[in-house]
Amino acid sequence: MRLRTDIFVSALLRRVFARGDFAAIEKKGAEEAGAIFIRQHFRDGLETLYAPAPQSVFGEQESGMRLFEIRLDKSEAEKVRELLDRERKFDPDLWIVELEAEDVAEIVPLADERQTPL
């Protein structure tokens, strides 16, 4: 069983704040099962966008986890905004969380690329 989205986001924010970094919720979505998109802001104005990993990367042991993939890596903010606007049209219940942190490797669980079948 997967952890509710609102609880996952709350825990994510606490972890970011505990490290001395900043986080904010840009858009709240469905509390129980909304998709989460994470915008990582860098000092140079670029952003990395993390999106939910496709279901094909989940094995039996990861079925209750939330894993992410990098959708845009160190891109202009406008490109990130355009992609998120398209996603919002498709799924109005998604969450958007913004992080101002240089390193999120310990905070954002990434899907292992070796697990993808394609």
Side-chain angles (χ1 to χ4, degrees), residues 39-106:
R39 296 175 75 171
Q40 179 185 11
H41 298 277
F42 295 97
R43 291 182 184 142
D44 60 3
L46 299 178
E47 298 181 14
T48 293
L49 179 65
Y50 299 89
Q55 291 296 314
S56 61
V57 302
F58 290 89
E60 289 181 26
Q61 295 175 343
E62 294 100 8
S63 64
M65 296 177 62
R66 289 190 183 269
L67 297 175
F68 296 88
E69 67 178 4
I70 296 175
R71 188 72 58 89
L72 292 173
D73 191 19
K74 294 195 176 179
S75 297
E76 297 294 327
E78 186 59 34
K79 287 185 180 182
V80 173
R81 172 60 41 216
E82 288 172 4
L83 192 143
L84 286 172
D85 287 344
R86 286 193 307 268
E87 290 289 342
R88 284 172 122 174
K89 289 178 185 175
F90 177 73
D91 180 9
D93 290 330
L94 62 82
W95 289 67
I96 302 173
V97 178
E98 295 189 36
L99 307 179
E100 288 184 9
E102 288 299 315
D103 182 24
V104 296
E106 296 176 3

Side-chain angles (χ1 to χ4, degrees), residues 1-10 27-36 63-66 91-95:
M1 179 173 225
R2 182 180 277 187
L3 190 62
R4 287 174 47 118
T5 302
D6 57 345
I7 295 171
F8 180 89
V9 169
S10 178
K27 181 190 177 304
K28 283 188 177 184
E31 293 181 352
E32 292 154 1
I36 303 168
S63 64
M65 296 177 62
R66 289 190 183 269
D91 180 9
D93 290 330
L94 62 82
W95 289 67

